[in-house]
């Protein structure tokens, strides 16, 4: 039984309708231990025959049988397995992969075997030692002579322990000394039990083998046996092969990326700048939202809910409720709350207490012939936090808290304004009588504290005690119905639930209350900040689109530059999906490195910006969270994945024969 059998092989090329026959009825058998030279002139069909034997050429008529099993050249997967486990190639032009070292070039074949990582390295080193290159394993192909390159190619061909070694003009580019050494190696390979088939146009080379097949015009003119095949005595266990693991593609992609790091660094930097900008604006939006939340929560108890009458009777969303608050501030008289409504609110589950309050009209303060006027004086409720008070205490009885600006004006000093605490001031408040006619109330109150209301969050905050205010209203014959209620939720997590229950309450079929929480205010503010942040991030994201185009161009250039490498890998047995994965992996690595560099830039810049601004606002204004980081990495990987689709697909569809012949 022969190892390899060719039966009635015909092959033609067509230029338009013109047929050019290259192989015309080839019938040959080959056995192990043979060193067969296929001799013929250029254009005689030698290389075509070798491509058919090697499983690269699928478009021909006839049969190729291995150990009496016919190969189906229509099944690409079968041919991939055949090349991977049975064929080893040696080329005239060496066809080494330039960005890999000598050792790594040999390991390319070994990655498709079942040897362990350590065993692969040991075998690669042993083969290189056998061809006299043990001291050259760390060099790249461009650092080797022609003879050394061919020896690397031989070691690579033997690496996976194939049955058949195909050598295409193996000595064509070598001098006489290296030619002799290579021929001796090929003879030794045949003696070790392999079938060596060498394509050559040199009679001197052919004479070194055991058999010469002369090919003329696509036909076997002569089949001369110079000597008997070498006796096969090697019965060692064959190295099993398997498809290339996914990890090997990523390792190879990483090696190529690092080898061309100068070119790739520009792509990485360009994409990283886009990631950096998106991260920075996202972090800035987070920081501003957090800062506003911090400022509001420091002044207003987040567990409290402000409830007012709803004159419209309509169900109000957050935005509409806030408009009601604006109307309330301008004219609080339309929002009086009855005792029946208060009783209804008390029944709401989840509340710890309710506290009625007054917001009155315009007022004036007078002390030592200095006057200040404003509007919106309120009664103290537990919605205020301790942070709202810079000095003193909240009012009880005949006391009042005034703002810092008011204290400065009344005391006449921006440095000693706190000394006004404990002093009595005259307070005049304008309000309405029970008949809705104007009424003016005057009283003398003691300043118990100064509020921190100079910020733009809450404006001027002047606060009276509820009991004193009610007493003033009653004495003046004014309306004593409260015009807002503060409801305290038992839990901060339950605030929205309590607020929604109050919103749903109806009187005579109409919604009775307008409700607002600190969360509602924050949502509105944060929505605007998030919108601005999103717009800025989207603008920054344009650079990511440009980066994607850069990656696409880079990948297409890489496919063009590495066409021969693709042919080599396919000849070694890599599948289309392996080639596709190789270029996709390289693009993904570009995206990953870009994301990491973008994260590093954003992290460094955020530290600088936070340090610069912290002295002004005592807050880190750039806050990049885990979600931002994950988004940046995923966005970068997605962009690089999309950018790689077309170039990787193009690479995988290249014809191996055409790829190998590329310059």
């Amino acid at each position: 039984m022969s190892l390899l059998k060719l039966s009635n092989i015909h092959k033609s090329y067509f230029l338009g309708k013109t047929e050019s026959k290259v192989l015309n009825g080839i019938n040959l058998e080959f056995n192990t231990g043979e060193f067969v030279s296929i001799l013929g002139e250029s254009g005689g069909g030698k290389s075509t025959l070798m491509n058919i034997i090697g499983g690269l050429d699928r478009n021909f008529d006839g049969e190729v049988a291995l150990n009496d099993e016919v190969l189906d050249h229509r099944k690409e997967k079968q041919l991939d397995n055949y090349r991977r486990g049975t064929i080893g190639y040696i080329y005239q032009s060496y066809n080494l992969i330039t960005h890999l070292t000598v050792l790594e070039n040999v390991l390319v074949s070994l990655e498709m075997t079942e040897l362990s990582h350590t065993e692969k390295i040991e075998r690669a080193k042993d083969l290189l030692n056998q061809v006299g290159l043990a001291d050259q394993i760390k060099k790249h192909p461009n650092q080797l002579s022609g003879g050394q390159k061919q020896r690397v190619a031989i070691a690579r061909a033997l690496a996976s322990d194939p049955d058949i070694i195909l050598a295409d003009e193996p000595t064509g580019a070598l001098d006489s000394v290296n030619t002799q050494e290579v021929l001796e190696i090929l003879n030794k390979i045949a003696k070790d039990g392999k079938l060596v088939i060498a394509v050559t146009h040199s009679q001197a080379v052919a004479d070194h083998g055991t058999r010469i097949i002369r090919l003329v015009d696509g036909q076997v003119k002569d089949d001369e046996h110079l000597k008997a095949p070498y006796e096969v005595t090697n019965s060692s266990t064959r190295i099993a092969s398997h498809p290339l693991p996914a990890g090997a593609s990523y390792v190879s992609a990483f090696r190529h990326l690092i080898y061309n790091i100068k070119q790739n660094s520009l792509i990485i930097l360009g994409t990283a700048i886009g990631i950096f900008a998106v991260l920075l604006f996202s972090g800035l939006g987070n920081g501003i939202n957090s800062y506003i939340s911090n400022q509001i929560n420091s002044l207003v108890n987040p567990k409290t809910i402000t409830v007012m009458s709803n004159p419209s009777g309509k169900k109000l969303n957050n935005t509409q409720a806030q408009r009601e608050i604006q109307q309330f501030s301008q004219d609080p008289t339309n929002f009086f709350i009855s005792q029946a409504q208060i009783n209804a609110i008390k029944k709401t589950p989840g509340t710890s207490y309710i506290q009625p309050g007054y917001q009155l009209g315009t007022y004036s303060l007078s002390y030592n012939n200095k006057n200040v006027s404003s509007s919106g004086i309120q009664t103290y409720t537990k919605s205020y936090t301790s942070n709202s008070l810079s000095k003193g205490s909240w009012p009880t009885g005949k006391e009042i808290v005034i703002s810092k600006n008011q204290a400065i004006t009344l005391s006449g000093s921006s440095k000693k304004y706190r000394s006004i605490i404990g002093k009595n001031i005259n307070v005049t408040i304008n309000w309405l009588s029970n008949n809705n006619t104007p009424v003016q109330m005057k009283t003398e109150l003691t300043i118990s504290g100064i509020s921190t209301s100079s910020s733009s969050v809450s404006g001027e905050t002047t606060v009276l005690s509820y009991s004193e205010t009610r007493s003033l209203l009653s004495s003046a014959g004014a309306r004593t119905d409260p015009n807002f209620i503060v409801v305290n939720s038992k839990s901060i997590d339950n605030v929205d639930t309590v607020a929604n229950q109050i919103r749903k309450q109806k009187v005579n079929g109409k919604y009775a209350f307008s409700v607002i929480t600190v969360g509602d205010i924050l949502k509105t503010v944060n929505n605007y900040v998030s919108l601005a942040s999103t717009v800025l991030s989207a603008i920054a994201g344009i650079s990511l689109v440009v980066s994607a185009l850069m990656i696409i161009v880079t990948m297409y250039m890489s496919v063009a530059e590495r066409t021969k490498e693709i042919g080599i890998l396919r000849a070694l047995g890599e599948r289309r999906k392996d080639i596709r994965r190789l270029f996709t992996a390289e693009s993904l690595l570009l995206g990953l490195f870009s994301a990491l560099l973008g994260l590093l830039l954003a992290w460094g810049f955020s530290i600088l910006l936070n340090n610069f601004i912290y002295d002004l606002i005592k807050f880190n204004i750039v806050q990049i969270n885990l979600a931002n980081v994950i988004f940046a990495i995923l966005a970068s990987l997605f962009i690089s994945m999309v950018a790689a689709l077309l170039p990787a697909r193009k690479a995988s569809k290249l014809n191996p024969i055409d790829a190998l012949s590329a310059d």
Side-chain angles (χ1 to χ4, degrees), residues 355-360 376-384 394-395 429 461-470 473 482-486:
Q355 189 175 10
Y358 298 103
Q359 178 168 318
L360 306 178
I377 191 169
Q378 295 186 23
T379 56
Y380 170 73
T381 66
K382 290 187 177 180
S383 62
Y384 293 106
W394 292 113
I429 304 173
T461 299
T462 309
V463 184
L464 303 171
S465 71
Y466 179 79
S467 60
E468 177 62 19
T469 304
R470 187 175 180 85
L473 293 172
N483 51 16
F484 73 91
I485 294 176
V486 170

Side-chain angles (χ1 to χ4, degrees), residues 35 45 117 236 319 327 408 453 519 605 637:
F35 179 1
H117 179 68
S236 61
T319 303
Q327 294 179 15
I408 291 172
S453 58
F605 192 82
L637 292 177

Side-chain angles (χ1 to χ4, degrees), residues 216-238:
V216 178
D217 296 331
Q219 294 181 317
V220 177
K221 183 179 180 181
D222 183 39
D223 187 353
E224 180 184 359
H225 291 263
L226 302 180
K227 52 187 174 182
Y230 296 110
E231 184 177 350
V232 178
T233 57
N234 187 0
S235 58
S236 61
T237 304
R238 287 288 314 280

Side-chain angles (χ1 to χ4, degrees), residues 40-78:
E41 298 299 324
S42 298
K46 304 187 304 299
S47 296
T48 301
L49 183 60
M50 186 184 73
N51 288 333
I52 291 173
I53 293 172
L56 291 174
D57 195 334
R58 301 166 58 193
N59 299 314
F60 65 92
D61 294 323
E63 290 184 348
V64 176
L66 179 69
N67 293 322
D68 282 345
E69 291 186 13
V70 177
L71 297 176
D72 190 344
H73 281 66
R74 294 170 299 179
K75 296 180 179 179
E76 186 173 38
K77 182 178 179 180
Q78 188 183 72

Side-chain angles (χ1 to χ4, degrees), residues 98-168:
T98 55
H99 67 271
L100 300 180
T101 64
V102 167
L103 180 65
E104 290 165 351
N105 265 281
V106 179
L107 286 171
V108 169
S109 287
L110 288 167
E111 292 295 349
M112 291 177 281
T113 66
E114 294 184 354
L115 297 177
S116 67
H117 179 68
T118 301
E119 290 171 336
K120 291 172 185 176
I121 293 176
E122 288 177 353
R123 177 165 175 79
K125 288 181 176 179
D126 180 59
L127 288 169
L128 289 169
N129 182 54
Q130 290 180 35
V131 296
L133 294 176
D135 58 342
Q136 308 290 324
I137 61 174
K138 294 183 179 180
K139 290 185 178 181
H140 284 82
N142 60 1
Q143 298 172 303
L144 303 178
S145 66
Q148 290 173 322
K149 290 178 183 178
Q150 194 61 288
R151 294 182 190 186
V152 176
I154 292 171
R156 181 182 63 189
L158 293 171
S160 61
D161 194 21
D163 291 318
I164 303 169
I165 300 296
L166 299 180
D168 184 8

